[in-house]
Amino acid sequence: MVTSKPSSRYGTLSGYLELATSLGLDPDALMRSVGLDPADLAVPDKWVPTARIARLLELSARAGGREDFGILLAEYRQPSTLGPLSLVLRSEPVLRSALDLLIRYEHSYNEAIRIRLSEGNGLAVIRLWFEMGEPVAARQGEELAVAALHKIISDFLGPTWRPLSVCFSHDSPAKLDTHIRVLGDRLRFGHDFTGLMLYARDLDAPNSAADPGGRLGKDEAQWALGAPRSLTAADRARDLVEVLLPNGRCSADEVARAMGVDRRTLHRHLARSGDTLSSIVDVSRAALAERYLANDRYRMTEISALLGFAAPSAFTRWFRARFGDSPSQWRARRNRFPVEPEPIAPPPPEV
């Protein structure tokens, strides 16, 4: 199955040249080895496959012997890294509205990242992960994203704010000095998810850095961003499918009931966007499979059950038909070093 590769702005690599050089690395050689042109760093709004950025970060961490490479890179990020969205975020009155924008405009800075906010029992949980559609190690990319999100919230709530915990699904690095300096000491590794936990009351805290006179700039930036991606019936159905899959109750009747419509109405709503419940289940399974396979703590039998398959063999057959590899081969390729190089595409011929 051929799909377009999710991409990110080159602005994601803001500060990469400076950091790599400071660590004695050759940024030009590293970037070219994964199909990136260093000259394009001067064009932060240019887009490139996210997988190439993830590979670059992993290679750089390995070459420099720095498991904290992603955290270090986050310290180089400027307020403008997210493009026009940066200005809009800084003008939001409370953290909740800023996070809502960050989630609704994911497509404006990184097509592979997924950020979700949930609340309960006085706590707020911000989960994030990547859906790249191919086996790519993303430890450094995840740590960069978490540190960047931590910085956005800190700028919003002030320097004294601390999260309840900073969570990573991967194992702890050998040294934690940089992680503690940047993120604090409330670190949890080998966790169920990657992201941040904070008090729900923090979501409605006022923006400590709000600029009352920045309305005009915000309006211009909002215009540059365009309309946010609207929530469709297919989006709502996918959220429900992800909840219903593990308990084996992911039927059209169950999804329709949860959406407050009958089965026929559900199919009619989905048809408007060219979707069917079967296609949504397939896409949801693909995204979840990628997320679970990225975490070595999940066994194949567990992943099969979480995706709603009756047996691991059925999961393997579906996965091979969808991705061309068995689940175990996918996981092995994701963790493999060195990564397979991607040559830079030649420029188009002059007309």
Side-chain angles (χ1 to χ4, degrees):
M1 181 175 182
V2 178
T3 57
S4 59
K5 294 183 179 181
S7 298
S8 303
R9 296 173 66 254
Y10 255 99
T12 301
L13 290 173
S14 174
Y16 175 78
L17 290 180
E18 296 90 331
L19 174 59
T21 302
S22 72
L23 296 177
L25 303 177
D26 183 347
D28 185 271
L30 286 166
M31 291 187 69
R32 292 185 184 281
S33 74
V34 297
L36 297 177
D37 188 340
D40 287 333
L41 289 172
V43 191
D45 286 328
K46 183 173 181 177
W47 289 74
V48 64
T50 307
R52 296 190 183 190
I53 292 178
R55 290 189 178 100
L56 174 65
L57 298 181
E58 296 300 322
L59 280 175
S60 300
R62 178 64 63 96
R66 297 299 300 254
E67 291 183 285
D68 55 359
F69 191 89
I71 303 291
L72 290 171
L73 185 57
E75 293 190 285
Y76 283 84
R77 292 175 74 92
Q78 301 298 318
S80 60
T81 298
L82 296 178
L85 182 59
S86 299
L87 180 58
V88 180
L89 288 176
R90 293 201 303 273
S91 301
E92 287 302 302
V94 296
L95 178 61
R96 184 187 299 276
S97 60
L99 291 175
D100 179 61
L101 281 174
L102 197 64
I103 292 169
R104 290 193 295 133
Y105 279 98
E106 287 171 345
H107 64 284
S108 74
Y109 56 92
N110 190 326
E111 295 174 340
I113 198 169
R114 301 291 180 268
I115 303 174
R116 297 296 178 265
L117 170 66
S118 59
E119 297 177 64
N121 300 317
L123 301 177
V125 177
I126 307 172
R127 295 174 170 84
L128 66 83
W129 66 93
F130 292 101
E131 294 177 4
M132 299 191 205
E134 56 183 294
V136 181
R139 176 184 181 124
Q140 299 302 323
E142 290 172 355
E143 294 203 349
L144 169 61
V146 168
L149 179 61
H150 182 281
K151 188 176 189 305
I152 289 173
I153 298 177
S154 295
D155 290 345
F156 223 87
L157 301 183
T160 61
W161 173 81
R162 294 291 182 274
L164 288 173
S165 61
V166 180
C167 307
F168 296 102
S169 59
H170 52 254
D171 295 334
S172 173
K175 296 181 179 180
L176 288 172
D177 306 45
T178 304
H179 289 72
I180 292 174
R181 174 170 55 79
V182 175
L183 302 172
D185 58 2
R186 299 172 181 176
L187 300 167
R188 300 177 67 178
F189 291 90
H191 198 61
D192 288 340
F193 66 87
T194 292
L196 301 172
M197 295 180 64
L198 53 152
Y199 287 115
R201 63 173 182 262
D202 290 340
L203 297 176
D204 297 309
N207 182 356
S208 64
D211 178 12
R215 179 70 196 181
L216 179 59
K218 176 184 176 181
D219 290 343
E220 292 176 344
Q222 193 98 41
W223 178 84
L225 281 172
R229 191 179 70 85
S230 58
L231 186 66
T232 65
D235 293 323
R236 294 175 58 202
R238 177 174 170 175
D239 289 341
L240 289 167
V241 164
E242 292 189 4
V243 173
L244 295 171
L245 273 175
N247 57 31
R249 293 169 43 227
C250 188
S251 66
D253 288 332
E254 288 288 345
V255 174
R257 186 178 299 111
M259 292 178 64
V261 298
D262 59 34
R263 181 172 181 162
R264 180 173 295 181
T265 302
L266 169 64
H267 289 315
R268 188 169 64 251
H269 287 333
L270 295 180
R272 290 172 183 167
S273 57
D275 293 296
T276 65
L277 186 60
S278 295
S279 68
I280 289 173
V281 169
D282 194 58
V283 169
S284 299
R285 277 176 164 161
L288 289 169
E290 184 176 349
R291 199 186 320 171
Y292 293 137
L293 287 169
N295 191 337
D296 290 334
R297 69 197 300 265
Y298 288 106
R299 300 190 303 272
M300 295 301 170
T301 52
E302 292 178 295
I303 297 175
S304 173
L306 288 168
L307 297 182
F309 288 99
S313 58
F315 165 50
T316 299
R317 286 195 300 273
W318 168 83
F319 191 92
R320 190 183 294 277
R322 172 91 189 191
F323 294 101
D325 276 336
S326 70
S328 57
Q329 289 171 328
W330 171 285
R331 177 174 276 174
R333 285 178 59 200
R334 185 183 187 277
N335 297 330
R336 184 181 303 155
F337 272 91
V339 298
E340 298 174 1
E342 293 190 49
I344 299 175
E350 294 185 1
V351 178

